[in-house]
Amino acid sequence: MSDKDDIIDLLDDFSIELTPKIALSHQDLRSLLKKGQRIYITCLPESSIAHTLEACMHLLKQGFKVIPHIAARSIESDEQLGGVLKRLQHLNIKEVLLIAGVQKIPKGPYSSVRDLLLAYDFASYGITNLSFAGHPEGSLDISLQALMQAAQFKQNYVQTHQLSGSLTTQFCFEAQPIIHWLELLHQNNIQLPVYIGVAGLASTTTLLNYAKACGVGSSINYLLRHGASVKNLLHLRTPDKLIFQLASYKKQQRETTSLSRLHFYPFGGLSETMNWLNTICAGHFTMIKNGLHVG
C-alpha cells in the first residue's frame, strides 16, 4: 500500500469520545457522524453514571454504537453497579470501557478495575467486549511494572471468560512514547488490540488545559516545546504528523504490533474534528514531508 493508503487504513473504524453534556447538547448527530460510529461516553466525577446512560440512549436512537465508561470509584454500591449492568443489557450494549476513575477516594466498594472484574461476571449481562485504559506516558500513581501486571491480569480475564478485550489510551501528541509503550506491551506478551488516543482539532491553549486536567505529563511538555508563542497558543492544531508516524509504524511492524485503530478526543471541536477526519477518510488529502495536508 502507499503512504496514503496506510493512513486511510489506520483511520478505518476510528472511535470518538464525548461527554454526556456534549452528546446531549446535539439533538441529532447523523449529519456529522456515520451510521454505526463508535462513540465512547465518559463518566466524570462532576457527572453521574445516570447521565452517561441517558447520553447512551440518546445516541443509540440515532444508530450509533456506544461504549459507556464505568468508573470504579464512582460506583456507590453493589446494587448500583448491578442496576447499571442490567440497564446496559436492556439497551443491548455489548461493550464498556472500565476505568478506575480520576477521583482519589472511592464513593463505594470499588477502588480499581480489578475490583470490578472480581466482583461481577460481565458476560452474564450480555457484555462481549471489555475495553481498558492504556497509559503510553505512564501514570503518576502507578509504576510501569504495576501497569504491565494490571494489563496482563485484564488480558487473562478476557481470555478466561471468552470475551474480546482492548486497551484504549489517553490522548498523546507525539509518536515516540506511544511506540515505546507498544514495544513494552509486545515484550510482556500483552496482545490486546490497542486504540491510540489522539487529540482532535483545537488550539494549543485548549489542549494544554485538557492535558493538565488529565495529568498527561509528557504531552504537556511537548505542547510547551512546540507551541510556546502567543501565535501558536491560538493556532488550531491538527494531529496529521502523529497520524502519519503511527501509520508508518503500523506498516513496518504489522506482524507484531498490537496497534489497531485510533480514538479521537474532540475537546469541544466536534464539527471541526469530524469534518477533518471525514475528509481524510474520503481520500481528499495530499502527502507532505512527515505528514499530510487536508483540503
Side-chain angles (χ1 to χ4, degrees):
M1 292 192 298
S2 67
D3 290 344
K4 193 169 183 178
D5 290 332
D6 294 332
I7 288 170
I8 294 173
D9 176 67
L10 181 60
L11 285 172
D12 183 52
D13 199 27
F14 68 84
S15 54
I16 63 172
E17 183 155 312
L18 300 178
T19 65
K21 182 179 179 180
I22 293 296
L24 292 168
S25 69
H26 292 270
Q27 184 174 357
D28 194 333
L29 283 168
R30 284 172 288 192
S31 63
L32 192 61
L33 308 178
K34 66 180 181 180
K35 184 178 180 180
Q37 174 75 57
R38 293 165 48 82
I39 306 175
Y40 288 62
I41 302 298
T42 64
C43 184
L44 301 173
E46 62 269 21
S47 183
S48 69
I49 189 67
H51 205 195
T52 298
L53 293 176
E54 182 185 0
C56 286
M57 288 186 286
H58 178 65
L59 294 171
L60 284 170
K61 292 176 182 177
Q62 299 174 53
F64 302 123
K65 181 177 180 180
V66 297
I67 301 97
H69 291 203
I70 297 180
R73 295 174 193 151
S74 294
I75 300 296
E76 298 176 1
S77 65
D78 291 335
E79 292 76 16
Q80 185 188 38
L81 179 57
V84 168
L85 293 176
K86 289 177 181 177
R87 186 60 180 152
L88 295 179
Q89 187 173 31
H90 176 74
L91 294 172
N92 200 33
I93 291 175
K94 302 292 186 181
E95 181 177 358
V96 295
L97 172 67
L98 300 182
I99 58 174
V102 296
Q103 60 194 59
K104 301 297 183 182
I105 302 175
K107 291 184 178 180
Y110 309 114
S111 61
S112 67
V113 170
R114 185 188 184 97
D115 290 343
L116 294 177
L117 294 176
L118 294 176
Y120 274 84
D121 177 10
F122 284 81
S124 67
Y125 291 90
I127 301 296
T128 60
N129 193 322
L130 292 176
S131 190
F132 307 103
H135 305 277
E137 297 181 356
S139 171
L140 295 176
D141 303 321
I142 310 172
S143 69
L144 177 60
Q145 181 181 8
L147 286 173
M148 289 297 157
Q149 290 173 344
Q152 188 66 63
F153 173 83
K154 293 162 186 173
Q155 177 171 268
N156 292 341
Y157 180 93
V158 297
Q159 291 174 345
T160 300
H161 290 79
Q162 298 182 315
L163 299 170
S164 296
S166 58
L167 296 173
T168 303
T169 81
Q170 186 54 272
F171 58 92
C172 303
F173 299 114
E174 55 183 333
Q176 195 52 48
I178 297 171
I179 292 171
H180 177 67
W181 178 72
L182 289 168
E183 296 293 334
L184 285 175
L185 292 178
H186 178 65
Q187 293 167 19
N188 285 273
N189 198 32
I190 297 167
Q191 302 170 351
L192 294 172
V194 173
Y195 310 151
I196 295 295
V198 178
L201 275 63
S203 69
T204 300
T205 300
T206 297
L207 294 176
L208 274 170
N209 289 335
Y210 277 101
K212 290 175 182 177
C214 296
V216 189
S218 296
S219 289
I220 294 174
N221 293 332
Y222 177 85
L223 286 173
L224 290 174
R225 291 198 308 272
H226 293 81
S229 71
V230 173
K231 179 181 178 181
N232 285 339
L233 287 174
L234 299 176
H235 180 67
L236 198 66
R237 298 180 64 94
T238 60
D240 52 292
K241 182 178 179 180
L242 175 59
I243 292 173
F244 171 80
Q245 292 173 331
L246 291 178
S248 298
Y249 172 78
K250 184 179 181 182
K251 180 179 183 178
Q252 295 166 7
Q253 305 295 329
R254 188 172 296 276
E255 298 301 319
T256 58
T257 185
S258 54
L259 172 56
S260 177
R261 60 169 70 109
L262 301 183
H263 176 66
F264 287 88
Y265 296 79
F267 297 136
L270 179 60
S271 297
E272 295 85 352
T273 297
M274 289 306 305
N275 288 333
W276 190 79
L277 288 171
N278 290 336
T279 300
I280 296 175
C281 290
H284 301 315
F285 66 96
T286 54
M287 301 302 304
I288 59 175
K289 185 179 179 180
N290 296 324
L292 55 116
H293 174 71
V294 179

